[in-house]
Amino acid sequence: MDEESVKKKSVQNGSVTLSHTQKEEKATVLQKEVGLLSGVCLIVGTMIGSGIFISPKAVLQGTGAVGPCLCVWAACGVLATLGALCYAELGTMITKSGGEYPYLIEAFGPVLGFLYSWTTIIVLKPSSFAIIALSCADYAATPFYPGCTPPQLVTKSLAAATILLICLVNCLSVKLANYIQNFFTAAKLFIILIIVVAGMVLLAQGNTQNLTNTFEGATTSFGAIGLAFYNGLWAYDGWNQLNFITEELKNPYRNLPLAIIIGIPLVSVCYVLVNVAYFSAMTATELLQSPAVAVTFADRVLYPVSWVVPLFVVFSTFGAANGSCFTAGRLTYVAGREGHMIKILSYISLKYYTPAPALLFNGFLAIVYVIPADINTLINYFSFAQWAFYGLTALALIVMRFTRKDLHRPVKVPVVIAVLVVMVSGYLVLAPIIDDPQLEYLYCTAFILSGGVFYLLFVHHSFHWSQRIMRPLTMHLQLLMEVVPPEKMD
């Protein structure tokens, strides 16, 4: 008899329970397999994706000059660090996976937690996954279409294939997903080192004309600077990713804050130096006109080995997409476990100890977002909602200083940092709306609030007819994917 075959099927409470003979020493829960190195690589690898190769144009467009552009990149790094310090306290105080989700529930109750999970699982996480996959596909296809833009059908097909491949890897093995993340993080740091060193050589040779009088022509628009911060912070997004996998982190009280302290300053320094390198080879106008900034830089500075940059950019975006998929699956899994999503999404693979249904669900939605996707619109849409939740999470830290004084806090940050993050988040949410109202913001707000209807219908009032529909569907999906509910651990 095959040792990995399913031995027994029984129906308990309308759900199929599968018992498995493969190494029963392990409990059917997500395993603690992420160490400090993998934690740092997850943060760095998710933050450094497509943003630094796409966003420089948008940040420069919003600021209007080189000096303010570099200041925005540096300020975004400081803001990301302050936000991550707040998350370090929250993550060591409430050691549950799911990012902001358990913190919002603990501070404000299940309704706000549901609205966060509803918005993030249905829109924010899969749209982020789709954006990164599209960037990866665009850079992968560009060398085959010299002098023109790759056809959308080709780009979107490659993006869908990338999403499917990453989902498959994450469903098969947590260790394999971590190895891939570590490898591609090393690759992206290598290409950034090449760009920075090339830029330093150009500056040493006297190419400093683009870095003189850097504040001439700077914009003073309240909303334009806010949009510049949006695009800069999009490049920094990922500083909170380790909080999504706290339950799988070895020694989270030590490794969570330490990975944050190592990872985010490293990314900040890389981003500022990469932008300085860009301006050593291109004027502000040339950078704005470039369809792919990193590729243009390579063509000018690294010829005849300029092909190395788009190749490593593909590696970079692939690694970021892998990190995004890894963490998104954990949020969906935790929300299903808490009863805020359908139960099958909280089930774990018996063979591989991965949240396979949650990962596949996120991948399916990402492919849906690839079909009509416009990257700039999605970035603005993503940032508006995401920073609202970042602000609420920092506010949750402040609230729990008064309401949950009993909780152990291995890391405790000055409350003024949380207040500052709340204030900046409020600015990033309100400034573009006041300066240039767009329908996207209204759609986003309406979508978030619409989650309240679903909460009332399917969580607060759990109707019997919905359970009758879901029970046989859950049973069939369990048998198909060989997944079971997670064991309750003390």
Side-chain angles (χ1 to χ4, degrees):
M1 181 69 68
D2 183 5
E3 194 180 36
E4 294 187 354
S5 63
V6 177
K7 294 289 188 184
K8 187 180 181 183
K9 301 175 188 175
S10 62
V11 178
Q12 296 178 350
N13 299 323
S15 175
V16 178
T17 301
L18 307 173
S19 65
H20 204 273
T21 61
Q22 180 196 22
K23 297 182 181 178
E24 288 297 340
E25 295 84 0
K26 286 186 178 180
T28 49
V29 294
L30 300 182
Q31 307 297 310
K32 289 185 176 292
E33 295 184 353
V34 182
L36 177 60
L37 176 62
S38 294
V40 172
C41 288
L42 181 64
I43 292 174
V44 174
T46 309
M47 290 176 73
I48 303 176
S50 61
I52 190 59
F53 309 108
I54 293 176
S55 294
K57 291 196 295 183
V59 174
L60 180 60
Q61 200 167 20
T63 55
V66 173
C69 176
L70 295 176
C71 290
V72 166
W73 280 105
C76 287
V78 172
L79 182 59
T81 303
L82 295 179
L85 289 174
C86 295
Y87 277 58
E89 175 175 332
L90 290 164
T92 52
M93 180 174 66
I94 302 171
T95 55
K96 291 183 180 179
S97 295
E100 294 86 350
Y101 178 66
Y103 316 144
L104 293 173
I105 290 178
E106 192 70 37
F108 303 115
V111 176
L112 188 56
F114 176 84
L115 293 180
Y116 168 78
S117 64
W118 158 259
T119 307
T120 306
I121 292 169
I122 303 299
V123 177
L124 301 183
K125 279 292 186 181
S127 69
S128 174
F129 194 6
I131 291 167
I132 302 170
L134 282 166
S135 300
C136 180
D138 190 46
Y139 272 92
T142 296
F144 299 98
Y145 296 89
C148 63
T149 304
Q152 280 200 349
L153 179 61
V154 171
T155 302
K156 292 182 178 181
S157 298
L158 279 173
T162 299
I163 291 168
L164 288 173
L165 177 60
I166 289 172
C167 286
L168 177 63
V169 167
N170 278 268
C171 287
L172 290 178
S173 172
V174 172
K175 284 186 177 179
L176 179 59
N178 280 330
Y179 289 148
I180 287 175
Q181 190 68 26
N182 297 353
F183 172 79
F184 284 108
T185 298
K188 65 186 66 181
L189 289 175
F190 176 72
I191 194 58
I192 282 178
L193 180 63
I194 289 177
I195 292 173
V196 169
V197 169
M200 295 303 106
V201 170
L202 287 176
L203 291 175
Q205 291 173 346
N207 294 288
T208 59
Q209 61 274 14
N210 298 327
L211 295 170
T212 57
N213 299 320
T214 55
F215 284 84
E216 285 185 7
T219 184
T220 56
S221 169
F222 189 71
I225 294 173
L227 286 173
F229 268 96
Y230 265 176
N231 287 282
L233 288 165
W234 161 249
Y236 277 97
D237 196 71
W239 49 266
N240 63 330
Q241 294 302 291
L242 212 53
N243 292 70
F244 283 90
I245 62 162
T246 308
E247 293 171 26
E248 295 170 78
L249 192 62
K250 298 174 183 175
N251 192 4
Y253 299 115
R254 171 185 176 270
N255 289 339
L256 178 63
L258 194 55
I260 287 170
I261 291 168
I262 295 170
I264 298 175
L266 173 62
V267 174
S268 303
V269 171
C270 288
Y271 278 2
V272 173
L273 292 179
V274 165
N275 277 277
V276 171
Y278 287 156
F279 289 119
S280 71
M282 288 179 277
T283 65
T285 302
E286 288 170 338
L287 190 143
L288 290 172
Q289 291 174 346
S290 170
V293 178
V295 174
T296 302
F297 177 87
D299 289 338
R300 292 190 177 191
V301 180
L302 300 175
Y303 186 83
V305 293
S306 56
W307 55 267
V308 73
V309 169
L311 174 64
F312 275 84
V313 170
V314 171
F315 291 168
S316 176
T317 48
F318 188 90
N322 180 72
S324 175
C325 176
F326 189 89
T327 56
R330 274 58 186 177
L331 171 60
T332 308
Y333 159 79
V334 173
R337 188 178 65 188
E338 295 293 325
H340 285 175
M341 289 287 158
I342 57 176
K343 279 292 181 184
I344 188 66
L345 296 178
S346 70
Y347 287 11
I348 295 173
S349 168
L350 271 171
K351 290 183 180 178
Y352 308 115
Y353 299 97
T354 59
L359 291 164
L360 293 173
F361 181 71
N362 178 60
F364 168 76
L365 290 179
I367 291 175
V368 170
Y369 279 102
V370 161
I371 297 169
D374 173 74
I375 288 181
N376 288 328
T377 302
L378 280 175
I379 287 175
N380 291 338
Y381 190 63
F382 172 86
S383 300
F384 166 76
Q386 190 64 77
W387 275 96
F389 288 119
Y390 287 160
L392 286 170
T393 305
L395 183 61
L397 185 149
I398 299 170
V399 168
M400 284 190 283
R401 286 286 179 92
F402 299 97
T403 60
R404 297 304 308 271
K405 294 180 180 179
D406 57 309
L407 290 176
H408 176 55
R409 291 171 170 83
V411 176
K412 192 170 184 179
V413 301
V415 73
V416 67
I417 292 179
V419 171
L420 182 60
V421 173
V422 171
M423 291 172 62
V424 173
S425 300
Y427 166 77
L428 291 169
V429 170
L430 295 175
I433 299 175
I434 295 170
D435 189 73
D436 184 23
Q438 296 288 331
L439 282 176
E440 285 85 353
Y441 304 131
L442 180 61
Y443 295 153
C444 183
T445 304
F447 181 85
I448 294 171
L449 296 177
S450 70
V453 177
F454 283 85
Y455 180 83
L456 286 173
L457 292 177
F458 299 106
V459 179
H460 186 69
H461 299 291
S462 187
F463 294 115
H464 292 295
W465 61 266
S466 64
Q467 295 178 6
R468 286 198 300 270
I469 294 172
M470 288 308 303
R471 188 171 293 135
L473 180 61
T474 300
M475 290 167 58
H476 284 92
L477 288 174
Q478 265 194 273
L479 289 170
L480 178 66
M481 293 187 285
E482 292 188 13
V483 293
V484 294
E487 291 184 21
K488 293 185 183 296
M489 304 294 290
D490 294 331

